[in-house]
Amino acid sequence: MAILSKEEARSIMEKVISLSKADECVVNLSGSNGGNIRYARNSVSTSGSEENTSLAVQSSFGKKSGTSTINEFDTASLEKVVRRSEELARLAPENPEFMSALEPQQYQEGKAYFKSTDDITPAMRAQFAADSIKPASAKGVTAAGFLEDSAGFNALMNSKGLFAYNQTSGVDFTVTMRTEDGTGSGWVARDFNDVKKLNTAEASQIALDKALRSRNAKAIEPGKYTVILEPAAAADLVQNMIYSMGARNADEGRSFLSKKGGGTKLGEKLVDERVKIYSDPLHGEVPFSPWSGDGVPIKRTSWIENGVVKNMFYDRYWASKAGREALPAPGRFVMEGGNASIDDMIKNTKRGVLVTRLWYIRTVDPQTLLYTGLTRDGTFYIENGKIMYPVKNFRFNESPIIMLNNLEALGKPQRIDGNLVPPMKIRDFTFTSLSDAV
Amino acid sequence: MKRRDFLQLAGMGAGALMLPTYLFGKSVPLDAPHSVLDARASKQLADVALNTARSQGASYADVRIGRYLNQYLFTREDRVQNTVNTESFGVGIRVIVNGTWGFAATDQVTPDGIKKAAEQAAAIAKANAKLQTEPVKLVPVQSYGEQEWRTPIERNAFDVPVAEKVDLLLSSNAAAMQEGANFINNSLFLVNEQKYFASTEGSYINQDIHRIWPTFTVTARDTASGKFKQRASLSAPMGMGWEYMSGRQQDKIQGPAGLIFYGNTYDQKEDAVSAARQAKEMLTAKSVKPGKYDLVLDPDHLGLTIHESVGHPLELDRVLGYEANYAGTSFATLDKWKTKNFNYGSKIVNLFADKTQDHSLGKVGWDDEGVKTKRWDLVKDGVLVNYQAIRDQAHIINENESHGCCYADSWSSVQFQRMPNVSLAPGTEKYSMQDMIKDVQDGIFIIGRGSYSIDQQRYNFQFGGTLFYEIKNGQVTEMLNDVAYQSNTQEFWNSCAKICDESDYRLFGSFFDGKGQPSQVSAVSHGSSTTRFNGVNVINTARNI
């Protein structure tokens, strides 16, 4: 039952709409199959699988709306969920920001689903884990990892005749390798829509090498350093910037995109001119749903072009206030880069620090997008084009805006956490203290 | 369930239909009365699970039938953005077969559905046993027979009409706006967990658990300078009913500079007015000069520091490496504990775990593996003495009894070791917040939660706060901006110089603490009195972009 075809979904949803007595009715039907396996101390600790289908009905009378959900699909249950949402709507306070359901829209065909990922079995998960644990135990290193996969569909229909359907699939894998003496730690992450691209043995080898190479790190003084941020490290900060680009907060004067004296930085140069960030639901490597949760079609959108703020995202209400079309926040993003590998970037560095990933990142000041956090699982000192030795982890206090103004070079983008992000070389990255953590 | 998913709720409205399904469960009428689980029917179903598990070769099994009710209200300024009511009902079955855990859950709460899930749990255990290198060892637990426990509440918040809740939130918002706030986002989270637990040890435990968390952020803006400042509420999430919102006079503590602190009840409207006033004051407050200061930390701030620098590093599963790939490991290793003289803090530092503390988020009668809850010491007179351990871990620290801190956030999640309430014991001599401020020459008074970050072994941390005040020669002088302190856990707790007495003791809490993969949330309280730490490194966080 979990994954319904377009026609199966349409048929259930039409039945739901026909039961509605509300002014408007919006129906969302979704389902997924998935599973996970977790291991630690070179042994599997937990694993499980999940299957779920859920129907959500939003009814509205004027500006009052209510939502109800159910996971049973016989006629009596469908009737019950519709009546319940209507009851809720009658009880709900009026919402001045209520938006009437969308008219029917044209959508592009999604490309985010792969049957291979849908077909993952418990035995395959166990094999992925075994491929990761085996090389670790052979070297006396301890692996702790997690693999999670899911495939599913999402469909939306409303009483005005709108219908949208999309399928997605995804697999996420991470592993941390720690040396037995506790002085070395390495990590790697991989995520794909298509599980055929996943090789946990190859990925785990990277984490294993990093664990062995990061043993007995030396302490160097905190301060401003040229850094090479691997895509995982860079993505965390860039993502925090992208998802803070909401128009409403900017217009209300409480965003890093708000300007002195009022207004926003839309159309202004924000960061280095080599920075180009866009999103595209049909991107071959990082596809996502071509429509947002409320049915707005998503097209390729440029967010930052040549360092200039090109777009901010608008929900339907704020867009109507601004007299423009809604522009949903990106499901995923692509930051363009160059062709250089991380090794090439190291070769071209006189003095710097290579950062594998960042950890426990929290906002310090939303006005300047200042974030703090720490390096983790492989931090190395570079001199004259070579990695010299592992260094102790640092705490940083840095803003992606300042960082992307201090850009030295961009490497070849890699997929990380659903996004495509290049490794980047940044000058004057601010490390404020040392950590003993491994 | 990820913390991020909850945070996204606040910004929701039109996109409500795209909420993750697990947040919905089956939604229920907003004002419906809520009956608790029927113990007799639950017992019959539980026995189906236990008998099936035994027949599949399980040496141990437990079953949790759970109904989880949530109600969330989101408001801003003069409007309600969203009201969400959810109900999730199902059963989770955990077994040990061939020395290995297996777990399965289902929303088919029928004898058939339960039998299938129990068989699946056993099958998973058998499959994983092949990769198992450390067979599970459980310490004994008493057989409790049939038991009941309820959070002691005065008024069930789910029975309070939504209109009454909306009125309170919107009137607080109006008060803040009238005082000059530019924006207020004000939310209310209510949780009711109805759990029926049974195990092959012979316990059948029915529990009804309530939690509440009102929280807001007030924003003040100065268009000319382009600056904005935010002040979060000084409320705490509590294991209480609607009575927490009553703001009783006897629960208020007056501080310097017009500050008001809240104990076991909360006055939201009053706090919203203070917040507006203080957020405006922040717009022109002095930027801190970096350096070493004596810090006076208010319980609504210190709670988070305790959570991050004591609660998490003393989770035994972290110490052993089970969380290495996500939250991390711990500096507080077993060899340090074995020395019996590892100075976690100064001699006046006594940190204890307690799942029985009144009004706390972690208070329950029995944990999610049928162990009666209790209090125990973690750090005694400054020395590390214990960890947090559950039934399959206690033998590692040579104990023959679990600490009773096992928890799952849903019937569909597998239970594991979660942080109990961890608190700092108050000072034994009479000493008030005012006395403490008088004794500080060059310090900063920090109030409320702010930015927090700590490394994966819990050595290095940086904390901000909501409000900062300069203390000079025993007096609070003026408000400060851009304050964050950085320290190392052991160094920090060893700089603990003075703790106010019991009359100043208050609870702070974390409503959505995340741990595990897939991530699960948990709610936990941290009590303390106002406390002084000497010579802590303060940085200035101001930047220009």
Side-chain angles (χ1 to χ4, degrees):
Chain A
M1 179 74 191
I3 302 191
L4 300 178
S5 71
K6 195 172 185 170
E7 290 320 309
E8 286 167 331
R10 191 199 297 270
S11 145
I12 291 178
M13 296 166 92
E14 276 171 353
K15 203 156 152 192
V16 173
I17 297 271
S18 72
L19 293 165
S20 170
K21 293 177 186 166
D23 294 349
E24 284 186 7
C25 179
V26 182
V27 183
N28 176 234
L29 183 60
S30 60
S32 65
N33 287 323
N36 60 69
I37 189 161
R38 190 181 199 203
Y39 51 100
R41 295 162 67 105
N42 289 344
S43 182
V44 170
S45 47
T46 55
S47 75
S49 60
E50 259 184 295
E51 185 174 301
N52 203 2
T53 315
S54 181
L55 175 72
V57 178
Q58 180 180 294
S59 296
S60 51
F61 297 97
K63 292 190 165 203
K64 294 159 75 140
S65 64
T67 304
S68 185
T69 74
I70 203 155
N71 52 4
E72 293 157 287
F73 299 93
D74 55 280
T75 308
S77 299
L78 297 183
E79 171 98 34
K80 189 166 77 182
V81 71
V82 170
R83 295 288 94 83
R84 225 168 216 194
S85 70
E86 289 169 357
E87 249 174 78
L88 285 172
R90 288 197 185 92
L91 276 169
E94 214 166 71
N95 179 5
E97 300 187 7
F98 173 81
M99 294 297 294
S100 178
L102 265 183
E103 297 295 332
Q105 305 285 316
Q106 290 295 320
Y107 301 110
Q108 309 178 85
E109 197 65 34
K111 290 183 170 175
Y113 172 82
F114 290 81
K115 188 159 187 311
S116 51
T117 307
D118 200 354
D119 291 341
I120 293 177
T121 61
M124 284 168 75
R125 288 183 203 113
Q127 190 57 48
F128 279 129
D131 289 348
S132 175
I133 294 169
K134 212 170 142 192
S137 19
K139 292 266 183 187
V141 168
T142 307
F146 183 62
L147 179 133
E148 191 173 30
D149 58 85
S150 163
F153 78 98
N154 223 314
L156 185 75
M157 184 181 279
N158 69 30
S159 48
K160 289 185 176 168
L162 176 142
F163 180 66
Y165 177 90
N166 184 56
Q167 287 191 331
T168 56
S169 62
V171 56
D172 284 87
F173 170 73
T174 53
V175 62
T176 303
M177 300 274 189
R178 297 179 60 82
T179 59
E180 238 162 52
D181 62 1
T183 73
S185 183
W187 173 87
V188 77
R190 293 282 184 266
D191 73 289
F192 301 105
N193 290 65
D194 180 1
V195 71
K196 283 187 194 150
K197 293 186 179 174
L198 178 65
N199 180 339
T200 57
E202 167 271 332
S204 299
Q205 193 59 46
I206 294 169
L208 178 55
D209 291 344
K210 278 204 166 141
L212 296 170
R213 279 165 60 201
S214 65
R215 279 175 298 183
N216 303 311
K218 290 186 192 179
I220 60 173
E221 280 298 308
K224 288 193 184 286
Y225 282 88
T226 291
V227 292
I228 296 173
L229 302 178
E230 291 200 10
D236 280 335
L237 289 170
V238 173
Q239 160 162 285
N240 280 325
M241 175 183 78
I242 290 293
Y243 294 115
S244 302
M245 290 179 72
R248 186 169 189 172
N249 274 350
D251 290 336
E252 289 178 342
R254 45 173 168 166
S255 155
F256 75 104
L257 291 175
S258 306
K259 266 196 341 193
K260 214 177 183 172
T264 74
K265 293 180 184 168
L266 184 69
E268 292 188 6
K269 188 164 174 295
L270 182 71
V271 289
D272 187 282
E273 62 196 12
R274 287 167 291 177
V275 176
K276 293 167 194 159
I277 301 172
Y278 68 94
S279 56
D280 180 0
L282 303 186
H283 193 283
E285 284 184 73
V286 290
F288 59 98
S289 173
W291 45 275
S292 68
D294 49 1
V296 177
I298 301 181
K299 302 199 175 84
R300 185 186 156 117
T301 306
S302 174
W303 301 100
I304 295 183
E305 206 169 284
N306 303 328
V308 173
V309 180
K310 288 302 283 186
N311 275 300
M312 301 185 291
F313 45 87
Y314 286 80
D315 62 24
R316 290 185 58 219
Y317 169 72
W318 202 246
S320 74
K321 294 266 284 184
R324 53 156 292 155
E325 279 188 4
L327 182 60
R332 285 175 172 170
F333 67 87
V334 176
M335 179 166 170
E336 291 183 41
N339 282 316
S341 68
I342 293 171
D343 283 344
D344 297 336
M345 293 171 83
I346 293 168
K347 272 181 209 147
N348 293 322
T349 302
K350 200 162 161 32
R351 183 175 173 269
V353 175
L354 174 67
V355 178
T356 296
R357 69 182 290 213
L358 302 176
W359 166 250
Y360 219 129
I361 303 166
R362 288 291 181 275
T363 311
V364 177
D365 188 351
Q367 175 110 51
T368 56
L369 280 197
L370 184 71
Y371 291 94
T372 190
L374 298 114
T375 64
R376 179 173 170 181
D377 301 320
T379 309
F380 301 93
Y381 181 67
I382 305 166
E383 208 171 75
N384 298 324
K386 278 191 188 136
I387 287 180
M388 302 302 285
Y389 45 81
V391 291
K392 286 200 170 195
N393 286 309
F394 289 109
R395 170 172 296 286
F396 69 88
N397 273 267
E398 193 54 273
S399 162
I401 313 302
I402 296 172
M403 169 181 115
L404 292 175
N405 272 293
N406 291 343
L407 184 65
E408 293 267 303
L410 293 170
K412 191 170 188 303
Q414 287 172 28
R415 178 166 167 155
I416 184 84
D417 201 12
N419 307 305
L420 212 52
V421 180
M424 48 187 79
K425 188 161 142 185
I426 307 288
R427 65 180 175 275
D428 292 337
F429 193 87
T430 311
F431 291 127
T432 52
S433 57
L434 275 179
S435 159
D436 288 324
V438 175
Chain B
M1 199 174 313
K2 290 178 182 168
R3 190 191 305 246
R4 194 168 57 182
D5 295 322
F6 279 99
L7 298 181
Q8 277 171 354
L9 275 169
M12 211 179 49
L17 282 176
M18 288 300 278
L19 268 177
T21 49
Y22 50 72
L23 279 181
F24 272 122
K26 295 172 186 173
S27 65
V28 291
L30 285 171
D31 285 328
H34 301 285
S35 57
V36 294
L37 290 175
D38 177 72
R40 189 186 296 176
S42 299
K43 184 171 187 293
Q44 285 173 359
L45 291 166
D47 280 333
V48 172
L50 302 181
N51 292 334
T52 307
R54 282 193 195 99
S55 74
Q56 296 293 313
S59 57
Y60 169 84
D62 60 37
V63 50
R64 288 173 298 116
I65 301 170
R67 174 179 283 133
Y68 294 74
L69 301 172
N70 297 311
Q71 187 175 78
Y72 306 146
L73 266 67
F74 300 98
T75 72
R76 59 173 288 172
E77 293 94 53
D78 59 353
R79 58 196 61 181
V80 177
Q81 290 175 289
N82 203 5
T83 46
V84 183
N85 240 37
T86 74
E87 174 183 346
S88 169
F89 183 50
V91 59
I93 298 159
R94 189 174 66 146
V95 303
I96 299 175
V97 184
N98 299 338
T100 305
W101 286 119
F103 176 77
T106 179
D107 58 2
Q108 302 301 305
V109 192
T110 59
D112 251 12
I114 288 174
K115 185 168 176 284
K116 271 185 206 151
E119 285 165 358
Q120 199 192 349
I124 288 172
K126 284 173 194 166
N128 288 346
K130 290 171 195 152
L131 288 167
Q132 175 70 273
T133 54
E134 295 176 322
V136 178
K137 274 189 239 167
L138 297 182
V139 291
V141 65
Q142 199 181 319
S143 171
Y144 287 101
E146 291 184 39
Q147 297 288 341
E148 293 238 338
W149 188 89
R150 283 162 201 257
T151 304
I153 52 174
E154 289 172 33
R155 192 177 176 199
N156 185 343
F158 284 84
D159 292 342
V160 175
V162 172
E164 189 179 332
K165 294 168 193 158
V166 165
D167 277 353
L168 175 64
L169 267 61
L170 292 186
S171 69
S172 301
N173 294 2
M177 298 302 283
Q178 204 170 351
E179 194 63 29
N182 292 97
F183 304 101
I184 177 167
N185 292 81
N186 190 356
S187 309
L188 177 69
F189 297 89
L190 303 176
V191 171
N192 174 211
E193 294 181 354
Q194 300 168 14
K195 299 194 281 200
Y196 188 88
F197 171 90
S199 79
T200 48
E201 308 284 6
S203 292
Y204 295 87
I205 299 161
N206 200 16
Q207 301 195 87
D208 182 27
I209 299 149
H210 288 262
R211 299 194 280 269
I212 182 168
W213 186 30
T215 181
F216 66 69
T217 305
V218 161
T219 305
R221 173 190 67 185
D222 177 52
T223 310
S225 66
K227 272 191 187 174
F228 64 92
K229 293 286 175 189
Q230 296 177 323
R231 198 280 223 175
S233 57
L234 299 182
S235 60
M238 303 290 269
M240 293 179 73
W242 190 243
E243 66 276 8
Y244 178 60
M245 305 302 286
S246 61
R248 290 167 195 150
Q249 215 50 42
Q250 68 264 32
D251 292 323
K252 296 179 186 176
I253 296 178
Q254 303 291 331
L259 288 160
I260 307 164
F261 302 100
Y262 303 97
N264 288 336
T265 63
Y266 175 56
D267 188 335
Q268 186 180 65
K269 204 166 166 181
E270 177 183 76
D271 192 31
V273 170
S274 306
R277 201 177 301 143
Q278 289 154 355
K280 281 193 295 179
E281 195 183 342
M282 282 180 205
L283 288 167
T284 51
K286 184 168 90 175
S287 193
V288 71
K289 189 177 157 211
K292 301 248 183 206
Y293 290 89
D294 290 351
L295 300 184
V296 174
L297 304 182
D298 140 67
D300 201 45
H301 170 87
L302 182 57
L304 194 52
T305 310
I306 294 169
H307 178 89
E308 299 289 359
S309 69
V310 184
H312 281 306
L314 299 185
E315 292 166 331
L316 190 56
D317 52 359
R318 278 186 78 118
V319 173
L320 298 172
Y322 287 101
E323 295 293 324
N325 187 48
Y326 186 53
T329 56
S330 175
F331 78 94
T333 48
L334 292 176
D335 54 325
K336 285 177 180 148
W337 164 71
K338 280 176 191 157
T339 64
K340 293 183 177 164
N341 61 13
F342 178 71
N343 288 323
Y344 207 102
S346 64
K347 287 213 159 38
I348 61 164
V349 173
N350 286 288
L351 292 150
F352 61 96
D354 190 353
K355 293 275 291 176
T356 67
Q357 227 169 338
D358 283 346
H359 310 303
S360 69
L361 295 166
K363 178 172 178 163
V364 287
W366 283 264
D367 76 351
D368 280 352
E369 51 183 5
V371 176
K372 200 161 175 43
T373 53
K374 63 173 184 178
R375 173 185 164 140
W376 70 101
D377 290 325
L378 296 171
V379 173
K380 182 90 187 140
D381 301 327
V383 175
L384 170 64
V385 294
N386 211 337
Y387 295 97
Q388 308 151 34
I390 57 172
R391 287 194 69 197
D392 62 0
Q393 302 169 325
H395 68 94
I396 296 163
I397 48 171
N398 310 320
E399 294 197 22
N400 55 9
E401 183 181 272
S402 159
H403 293 149
C405 53
C406 189
Y407 176 79
D409 67 0
S410 159
W411 53 267
S412 62
S413 308
V414 64
Q415 59 269 58
F416 68 134
Q417 193 267 303
R418 293 309 302 254
M419 192 192 301
N421 303 311
V422 173
S423 302
L424 175 67
T428 45
E429 63 182 85
K430 195 170 156 30
Y431 195 70
S432 69
M433 183 201 306
Q434 279 76 10
D435 294 333
M436 182 171 281
I437 288 165
K438 265 187 224 147
D439 289 345
V440 173
Q441 292 307 302
D442 187 16
I444 302 173
F445 188 18
I446 303 183
I447 297 126
R449 67 196 74 203
S451 170
Y452 53 98
S453 167
I454 189 162
D455 70 46
Q456 75 276 14
Q457 290 189 308
R458 309 271 146 174
Y459 287 102
N460 172 306
F461 61 71
Q462 176 175 320
F463 290 103
T466 294
L467 291 164
F468 311 99
Y469 291 89
E470 181 182 73
I471 307 173
K472 281 274 182 213
N473 306 317
Q475 299 279 332
V476 164
T477 53
E478 61 180 314
M479 193 185 260
L480 293 173
N481 267 331
D482 312 319
V483 177
Y485 60 96
Q486 289 187 349
S487 189
N488 166 294
T489 296
Q490 196 185 1
E491 192 182 304
F492 176 78
W493 284 104
N494 274 283
S495 75
C496 180
K498 194 85 186 171
I499 306 171
C500 288
D501 65 42
E502 205 172 357
S503 66
D504 190 58
Y505 185 87
R506 281 162 275 153
L507 292 178
F508 162 93
S510 170
F511 213 68
F512 296 128
D513 180 34
K515 185 180 170 186
Q517 287 175 310
S519 185
Q520 290 188 43
V521 295
S522 158
V524 57
S525 291
H526 303 288
S528 64
S529 302
T530 308
T531 303
R532 192 177 94 218
F533 296 84
N534 284 351
V536 181
N537 187 35
V538 169
I539 63 163
N540 180 301
T541 61
R543 296 288 189 280
N544 281 311
I545 58 167

